[in-house]
Structure formats: C-alpha cells, structure tokens
Amino acid sequence: GVIPKGEYGGGTVMLWDRGTWRSDERVDLDSGKLDFVLDGDKLKGAWTLVRMGGRKNADGKNWLLIKRHDQGEKIAQPSDLSVATGRSMNEIAQARDRTWTREGEAPPKRAARRTRRAKSPLPSRIAGSAKQTAFPAFVAPQLATLVGEPAEGNKWIHEIKFDGYRILARIDGGKVRLFSRNGKDWTKRFPEIAASMAELPVKRAVLDGEVVALASNGASSFRMLQEALSSQHTAPLIYQAFDVLHLEGYDLTGVAQLERKRVLKELLDAARFDAETPVKYTDHIEGKGAEFFRQACATGLEGIVSKIADAPYRAGRGRGWLKTKCTQHEELVIGGYTEPGGSRTGFGALLLGAFDEDGKLTYMGRVGTGFDARQLREIGARLEKLSIRKSPFGTPPPARGVHWVRPVLVAEVGFTERTREGMLRHPSFHGLREDKDANEIGVSAVANATASAARARATRQKTRIDRNPGDAAAIVAGVKLTHPDRVLWPERGITKLQLARYYEAIEPWLLPALANRPLALLRCPDGRAGDCFFQKHPGKTMSTALPRVPIREKDQVASYMYVQKLSDVIHLVQMGVLELHVWGSHVDDLERPDLMVFDLDPDPELDWADVIRGAKALREQLDALGLTSFPRVTGGKGMHVVVPLKPSADWDTVKAFSLAVAESLAREHPDRFTTNMAKSKREGRIFVDYLRNGRGATAIASYSTRAREGAPVCVPVGWNELRAGSSPNGYDMAGVQRRLKTLRADPWRDFDAARRPLAKAARQSRGKTSDRASRKRA
C-alpha cells in the first residue's frame, strides 16, 4: 500500500518476499557478523550479514548482505513484483487501495471523493429521442462492418480503433457488472476497472467501450492483454469508453451519435478522474477520414472506426459503423491441429478457416508460431475436448496427422500478406478471441480485411513526409528522423532517410525474419566511416518505444531489444544502426532455437566459386541427416547456410550438433574446410563457423544492410542462383527492391514447412560418426 508523505517511511510499500529464516551458526552480533539461511518465495539459501568498518561507518549502522555459496545453489533471479499481489511499485502507487498510518491501516476515502464530485448530466437536457424505460439487464452491442477504405464526408466522425475486448459496463446503485459483447459476465476479470466505474456519479447507466493493454508507444496490444489476463496482472489495463446507452432511467440508443458522446464526456468529466484512473474517454474527429486513417497507420495504430454523426445506436452489424484496419491480422476459426514435434507439448500448428456463404468452413492456412508454453498447454487441453472425427472444412487441407475439432474457437493471427490462393504468409498467433462467436467469421469479411491492409500499406507509402528545405527532420512510419540527410555510406552518398525508406519499402520481407528475436546492433551514428560499435542492451539514448525482453546472463538478468513492427526498425535507423543481428530463437521461447546457421568464411585468396562448392557440400551432408538448408549471401565474401528447426532442442544441443557437422565436413575434406577459427590456420580453406549457434550468439538478419563499402545487403537466395557469374555481395538497397518486385516466387517460401526437430538428425549423425570410426579401425 502507501504510507502518507511526511510520515516515517512515507511512500509506496511492497511485500517483496516472504518465508522463514534461521541462523545456521552461533549468533554473535558483537563481532559484526550474522550467518543465516533464508527459505523464501524468492530468496533461498545461506547468507551472511557483515558490519562494514571504516571511519565513515564507525557507528556500525551500515551492513553488507552477502550471498554464501550453497551446495547445488542456483542463481537467484527474483522479480521486482509483489509476492502477494504480483503488482509493481508503480501499480501499487496508482491503486492506493491500502493506506498505512501510525495508527494502522486507514479506511478508504472513496465516499469522501464522491461527495466532492459534480452531478451527472440530466437526461431531461439530452437533445433527441431519449425515452424513459426499464433498466435493461443487457444491451446487445452495435458492431462495425469492415471496409477497405475509410469513410469520407462531413456526416462521419472517426475514432481510433483498438485491439482489445469489447465490454459493456452496467452500473446499478454502485454495483458494476462488465459484460463481453456476447453477454458473458467478465466483471471478475477486470476488478480495477469495475472499481473505478463504481466511482462514477450516477445511479444507473450502461456504457460501451473496449478494454485494452497499451504498449510503450501508446498502441493497443492484444497479446499484452492476453498476458495480463492469464497472469491476473490486470491493474495496467484501460477501459476506453466511447458510448453511453442508458442513463438514469432513460434509453439513449435513439439519440444521435454525437449527442451520446457529448453526454458520455460530461459524465466522465463529472467524475474528475485523475490520469491514473483506468477509465478513459475515446475522443474523435469530424470529417477528414482519409487523413485520419493515414495518420493512424503512420503512427502504428490498429486502424480507425467511422460512425455516422447523427445516427442512433443499432444492435448488430450494419453500415452505421465502419472499421478500416492498418495492420495485417485477422480473426479465423480453428478447425484442427497437428501433432507437436520434438519436445513441444500441446500441438504443432492450428489449421484455420472462415465460413463461406453456404456455411462451409474454407481453409485459409495454418499457424505454428507465436505460442508460449502456457498457451500450448491450455489451448491444447481445450482442443482435445472439442475433438471430432470428420474434417469441418468443406475441402480438407492437404495435411497429415491432423486432429479435427469443432469449429467454435476463434484465433487472432498476424501475418505479412496472402498468397494468390488466399493462404497466410508468415503467420503468428496473437491470442484466442473469447469474445467472438465463430459463426461471425466469414470469408467476405476476411477478404475485406486483406484489401484494407493493402490499402494501409499503400497509405503508409503516400504519407511519408519528406524533408523540405529548411526542415530539420523527416517522418517515416510515424517516427521522426533527425538529420535525415546525414550520409551513412559516403562512397555512395546514401543518407539516413534513404535507409529508412528502404526498410519501409521491403517491410513484408524484412519483418518475418527479424521480428520478436533478441537483437545485437551495429551502430554507426556518423556513418560507416565514423566510429562504430556493437550494442546488445538498451542505453539511455535508445528509444523507450522499442520492445524489451529480460534475459538471464552469467551473473545477472539484462534487458535486450527486439522489434515487432516497422516503426521499431525506423527507431533503430534514427539511432544510427546500420546492421541488424538476431538470435536464433524468439523472445517467447528463448532457450529453444528455431534456426541453425553455418557461416562459411573463406580464406581471402579463395574464389567465390570455391565458396559455392563448399556450401553445396555442406548442403549434401545436411540432406543426408534429413535437414533442409537454405543459402544466404551475407554482403561479404562468405555465405550463410541456414537450417530451419522445430524449436525442441536447447542451445547446448544445437551448438554441439553444428560442431559435429562442421568437424565431419572438415574430416572428409581437410584440404577445403577447417573448424579452426585462427586465420593463420585457414590458408586455402573455408572456416565453417558453427559458433553462431551458441546461446547469445547472433547472425546478420536477412535484408539487413551492412556497414561496408558499397552498402551491401544480406539477401536470401535459392540454391539454383548459386552459379558462375553470381556474386557474394551483389545486392545493394536498390538492387534488393528491384529483385523483390520481379521475383516469381520467394526462394525461401518452403522455409517454415521444412522445419524438423533436431533429435532424429542427431541420432543419424552419431550413427554415421560410429560407422566412420568402425571403418577407420578396420
């Protein structure tokens, strides 16, 4: 709780740990030493408290707490959250639900606050068709129709679209109930919001809004919302109120939209909520739909909702409310799942679809990434209970080992784009939509969403703000670039703004390989000819908008950066990042890599043709182990051979396996390969660098630029492209964009489908090693 300012210990107070302690030796405080053992929820093991000496500490009031070595000890990684409630210090301070004084706990002051508040707006003063009616138990919500382009004209108002849970709040005599859009009582899921609603100066009311979790850049995040609910850590959630449907015995659904919003704002203003209260008014603009949509997309928001200003509130989906999306994500119905591979539990991938006009489920792709261990376990258990024998799809998808389920669960999935057949490319799971009914998910709505997202991408291209003479900045993807004309590659005259534009142009190709992986960054603030340095952890100069993930290192837990969307990449460009290096695992499954990278680093005297032959020899060895590999030119003299994995093995296993493969290649071709990284031992040979597969090691990301002369780019290619006349560093930013526009097919289009667990390949590798040893002995 909180101790009032001015009192001893004034400020926020947290119960950080709890448990028992005992002294394990004779206590002798006079000697300035106390040995004891802790058995807490967070801190465990043997400790010593030692009085510090020295003239400054002669009074004996300063003590040093030392962790002693234990038998079988583990490094403590305690969180900074309350052991009692799971809240942070900031959340405890915001809630102020318990106040402690010298006399003990003080009673809450909510009643006193309410008496100081103004009265709610009088229904008799509401313009329009407000009618006295009985207080409804539930009001069916009005739903927006998805469209490809924003509504235009002065009859429309426009609001920010949120990616959260639609919630109707019913207030009756101080008692608050929160209902989902399909009438489920979710009050217990959002206790902080319900408590704030009870503070409104009204006896009876029904409000319409959305519960959201806000990311560091202010945009709503459905993934963060799901995490908050699963951990019951809901204090940071926000209720964005955008309508009032009933007030003090009057039905307002017949009142014009703008008038209802005026009443809602007056009601919330009367409550005099402070900035920390989780109930917020959703503002709007009148007219200028296209401009508002462009700005929403440029700043990384979900999209916009357009409403007819003088229209009443009508339950169900209609054309009075329209939604236009900026982002590429859809809600699709789960019709089946595949078996998990390796050590993964629950399921492998979800098979997704939408209902056509005849009510048949149409297959639209599968998603196998974006799940954490908890989701795999919990969703897997739910899917087992929905098992059916026959496929629910009109035309069953071509897949083996599929378990069919009743099509009643709705998943929200992000993706980069769709194929011509309508299949998802590079999908990632965001969460289950428990507030949506599966029969609402239609093929036509999904098609509209695809058109809307395409429109949004085109909008972002049109809304790039160039630097005019005299201006000091430019804006790309909503991110302000200072010094946009700063030259980063002097030999080519390439500027910071051109680098940002390059990443903007290739966004659908860049993000799938880059997003949600911990980063190591090569920063060159003054360009590649100036001082450059690698950076793993965010410093004070890095944007706070960049997502971060805590990762255990040898003796501490450190913060790493990662990206989720284009604006995150542009923030890195603003900070002078010229190279993007990624881990081989995702932030939601850090300890199980889904990539294995072999970096072929040749002796400078070798030709490119030697590197190609070496890569193909490595490919043959991997093929024999049942592993598919993909080549990537790195922008230097070498090449990467990348193996997609199902995330089943840990880092030590993957690193040991890659070493075994590299050593085997060097034994079979000692005149061509070496695993010794010393350049003096590399003469005339290729160093097969397997060290990219250790925990914390990184490799240059696909489509990242390099801080080298000529501004080369790391580019995924096909094996058929590695032939005479090709080049290891033949692509620059302009060349990559031309290539992507003319490609008939992605050379790595089968990358995700080729994922295999490492266990079987490891057994084959051990078998081959044993056979070779037997032959050698013979």
Side-chain angles (χ1 to χ4, degrees), residues 144-151 161 293 297 302-306 322-327 452-453 455-456:
T145 297
L146 185 63
V147 294
E149 298 184 4
K161 184 184 183 304
F293 179 63
C297 296
E302 167 80 3
I304 68 171
V305 176
S306 306
L322 304 176
K323 57 184 177 181
T324 318
K325 291 185 178 181
C326 299
T327 55
S452 176
R455 164 79 175 182

Side-chain angles (χ1 to χ4, degrees), residues 487-504:
V487 176
L488 302 180
W489 283 271
E491 69 279 3
R492 298 285 303 275
I494 296 173
T495 65
K496 181 192 287 188
L497 180 58
Q498 288 173 312
L499 176 59
R501 290 281 179 78
Y502 160 70
Y503 284 134
E504 182 185 42

Side-chain angles (χ1 to χ4, degrees), residues 454-470:
R455 164 79 175 182
R457 287 198 303 274
T459 296
R460 287 197 294 268
Q461 297 288 339
K462 292 179 181 178
T463 55
R464 299 177 305 190
I465 303 174
D466 291 349
R467 189 181 73 85
N468 295 318

Side-chain angles (χ1 to χ4, degrees), residues 303-325:
I304 68 171
V305 176
S306 306
K307 303 176 179 179
I308 299 176
D310 60 359
Y313 189 96
R314 293 289 179 261
R317 199 176 301 280
R319 304 291 296 185
W321 288 10
L322 304 176
K323 57 184 177 181
T324 318
K325 291 185 178 181

Side-chain angles (χ1 to χ4, degrees), residues 569-583:
V569 180
I570 305 305
H571 275 299
L572 297 177
V573 173
Q574 162 61 14
M575 301 310 299
V577 173
L578 300 194
E579 293 189 4
L580 304 164
H581 296 251
V582 296
W583 278 42

Side-chain angles (χ1 to χ4, degrees), residues 98 117 191 244 256 339 343 356 394 460 503 619:
R98 304 186 78 179
R117 289 180 178 162
V244 55
E339 284 284 341
S343 61
D356 62 18
R460 287 197 294 268
Y503 284 134
R619 179 196 186 189

Side-chain angles (χ1 to χ4, degrees), residues 55-131:
R55 286 181 298 175
K56 293 183 180 180
N57 303 314
D59 58 4
K61 290 184 178 179
N62 291 297
W63 296 73
L64 184 66
L65 181 64
I66 301 171
K67 176 71 177 67
R68 300 210 313 274
H69 292 295
D70 304 315
Q71 185 175 359
E73 70 174 297
K74 295 183 179 179
I75 297 174
Q77 298 181 51
S79 73
D80 59 355
L81 304 179
S82 166
V83 72
T85 64
R87 294 186 296 180
S88 67
M89 291 289 277
N90 187 46
E91 289 162 357
I92 295 170
Q94 291 176 13
R96 300 188 71 89
D97 49 0
R98 304 186 78 179
T99 301
W100 300 91
T101 67
R102 291 182 180 89
E103 289 73 33
E105 184 175 5
K109 298 181 179 180
R110 286 179 179 172
R113 288 179 64 192
R114 185 172 295 171
T115 60
R116 295 195 299 269
R117 289 180 178 162
K119 295 181 179 180
S120 64
L122 295 175
S124 59
R125 296 179 182 175
I126 297 172
S129 305
K131 299 178 181 179

Side-chain angles (χ1 to χ4, degrees), residues 264-313:
L264 173 65
K265 190 173 189 307
E266 189 176 337
L267 175 62
L268 295 180
D269 287 346
R272 298 178 185 171
F273 287 147
D274 58 30
E276 308 302 334
T277 305
V279 180
K280 311 291 183 185
Y281 173 72
T282 301
D283 216 333
H284 63 272
I285 68 164
E286 299 181 31
K288 302 181 180 179
E291 295 175 34
F292 186 56
F293 179 63
R294 282 196 294 269
Q295 187 62 31
C297 296
T299 51
L301 298 178
E302 167 80 3
I304 68 171
V305 176
S306 306
K307 303 176 179 179
I308 299 176
D310 60 359
Y313 189 96

